[in-house]
């Protein structure tokens, strides 16, 4: 049985765009949309007194409003809702194993308006078992299926160690939404390790770039065969990927990045590239666990 698309709902003002994106994705996948609201505060945020019943009722009202919004957007879409007696972090992480994917707004409950991305969103993106879609409020046109004047999907690719899970998510999303896909691979000069190592002292930029181009072309050749209906292009850039992915987010509908490593703090698993893209992108970002 296919996993539902799950979206975390805080309040209508901050959750509307995330619900819209999630409803579109559920409709395209042909699966249920599940809206969840966690009413318990994080321990360090909790007021001195809480009216549990009032908080639950408020959560139920928010879910009702957002469920109706999704139903109006896609009549006939199967929709379920749930109020969870937990904090947002704990609830969403517990649900992430059965989500495909998990969708969140950029700013969570208890955050400050000036912050680019809330701590709850970053924590969940860093630790969830499923891909996490972070949707910044951009208005319906930027995220609506087939609309918004933006181009397709862009994915950050490591030409030397391409992740099958990352590329599968990117290509499947592009195919479902009938969008082109751009794979960004960045390169830099190899590090000279010292006189005891057998690396040449001078690198020809053209030679290094040509080798990187061959790596990317080889990766994309395999995936073009698997997804012949997805128009695919590669983009090779010298320097770090974060800035270029953020730049591409201005003109693309979705950015897909990977998440590596083991947790060593609240956002350590995101890595510098994915964390920067989540913070600064101008379109929705998907963080895919790849190892």
């Amino acid at each position: 049985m296919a996993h539902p698309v799950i979206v975390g709902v805080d309040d209508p003002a901050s959750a509307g765009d995330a619900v819209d994106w999630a409803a579109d994705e559920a409709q395209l996948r042909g699966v249920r949309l599940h809206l969840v609201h966690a009413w318990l505060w994080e321990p360090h945020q909790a007021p001195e007194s809480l009216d549990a019943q009032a908080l639950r009722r408020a959560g139920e009202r928010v879910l009702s409003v957002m469920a109706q919004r999704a139903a109006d957007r896609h009549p006939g879409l199967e929709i379920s809702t749930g109020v969870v007696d937990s904090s947002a972090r704990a609830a969403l992480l517990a649900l992430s194993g059965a989500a495909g994917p998990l969708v969140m707004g950029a700013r969570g409950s208890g955050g400050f308006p000036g912050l680019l991305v809330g701590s709850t969103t970053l924590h969940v993106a860093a630790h969830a078992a499923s891909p996490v879609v972070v949707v910044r409020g951009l208005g319906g046109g930027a995220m609506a299926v087939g609309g918004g004047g933006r181009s397709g999907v862009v994915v950050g690719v490591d030409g030397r160690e391409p992740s099958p899970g990352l590329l599968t998510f990117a290509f499947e999303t592009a195919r479902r939404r009938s969008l082109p896909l751009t794979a960004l691979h960045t390169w830099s000069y190899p590090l000279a390790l010292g006189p005891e190592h057998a690396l040449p002292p001078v690198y020809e930029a053209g030679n290094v770039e040509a080798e990187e181009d061959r790596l990317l072309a080889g990766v994309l050749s395999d995936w073009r065969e698997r997804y012949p209906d997805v128009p695919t292009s590669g983009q090779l850039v010298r320097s770090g990927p974060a800035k270029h992915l953020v730049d591409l987010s201005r003109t693309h509908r979705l950015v897909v990045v990977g998440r590596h490593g083991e947790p060593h703090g609240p956002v350590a698993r995101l890595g510098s590239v994915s964390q920067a893209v989540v913070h600064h992108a101008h379109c929705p970002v998907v963080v895919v666990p790849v190892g």
Side-chain angles (χ1 to χ4, degrees), residues 157-249:
V157 176
D158 182 344
R160 287 178 171 75
E161 297 182 2
S163 164
L166 180 71
L167 288 167
T168 296
F169 189 99
F171 273 90
E172 289 286 344
T173 300
R175 182 164 66 180
R176 275 193 298 270
R177 295 180 177 245
S178 300
L179 294 171
L181 183 141
T182 299
L184 176 72
H185 173 63
T186 61
W187 67 277
S188 60
Y189 287 115
L191 293 175
L193 301 179
E196 70 274 15
H197 294 274
L199 289 175
V202 177
Y203 300 97
E204 292 291 339
N207 293 340
V208 177
E209 184 173 9
E211 176 60 26
E212 299 296 329
D213 187 57
R214 284 192 292 271
L215 283 172
L216 179 59
V219 171
L220 293 184
S221 176
D222 293 339
W223 288 87
R224 284 188 176 111
E225 290 183 7
R226 301 183 200 183
Y227 294 89
D229 52 342
V230 176
T232 305
S233 61
Q235 190 170 130
L236 189 67
V237 178
R238 178 184 165 191
S239 75
K243 178 183 182 300
H244 297 284
L245 288 168
V246 171
D247 287 344
L248 288 169
S249 75

Side-chain angles (χ1 to χ4, degrees), residues 25-235:
E25 186 71 5
Q27 176 74 9
L28 289 167
R29 290 174 177 243
V31 299
R32 174 170 54 93
L33 173 66
H34 182 63
L35 293 82
V36 61
H37 176 83
W39 67 271
L40 285 181
W41 290 52
E42 300 293 341
H44 65 283
Q45 297 174 334
E48 292 183 1
S49 61
L50 290 174
D51 185 336
Q53 291 303 315
L55 288 172
R56 282 188 61 88
R57 288 194 296 270
E60 290 167 355
R61 288 194 295 271
V62 169
L63 287 176
S64 178
V65 170
M66 290 292 99
Q68 187 59 55
R69 176 174 177 143
D72 291 342
R73 189 175 181 90
H74 292 293
L77 177 65
E78 183 182 358
I79 300 170
S80 59
T81 64
V83 176
V84 181
D85 299 334
S86 177
S87 69
R89 290 186 184 189
L92 294 173
L93 288 178
L95 290 168
S96 68
L102 178 64
V103 184
M104 303 181 67
R107 187 170 65 87
S109 175
F112 297 95
L115 291 178
L116 296 172
V117 178
S119 61
T120 294
T121 299
L122 284 175
H123 184 87
V124 174
H127 297 281
S130 66
V132 174
V133 185
V134 180
V135 180
R136 193 182 305 279
L138 295 175
M143 289 169 288
V145 177
R150 291 172 177 253
S151 55
V153 175
V154 58
V155 58
V157 176
D158 182 344
R160 287 178 171 75
E161 297 182 2
S163 164
L166 180 71
L167 288 167
T168 296
F169 189 99
F171 273 90
E172 289 286 344
T173 300
R175 182 164 66 180
R176 275 193 298 270
R177 295 180 177 245
S178 300
L179 294 171
L181 183 141
T182 299
L184 176 72
H185 173 63
T186 61
W187 67 277
S188 60
Y189 287 115
L191 293 175
L193 301 179
E196 70 274 15
H197 294 274
L199 289 175
V202 177
Y203 300 97
E204 292 291 339
N207 293 340
V208 177
E209 184 173 9
E211 176 60 26
E212 299 296 329
D213 187 57
R214 284 192 292 271
L215 283 172
L216 179 59
V219 171
L220 293 184
S221 176
D222 293 339
W223 288 87
R224 284 188 176 111
E225 290 183 7
R226 301 183 200 183
Y227 294 89
D229 52 342
V230 176
T232 305
S233 61
Q235 190 170 130

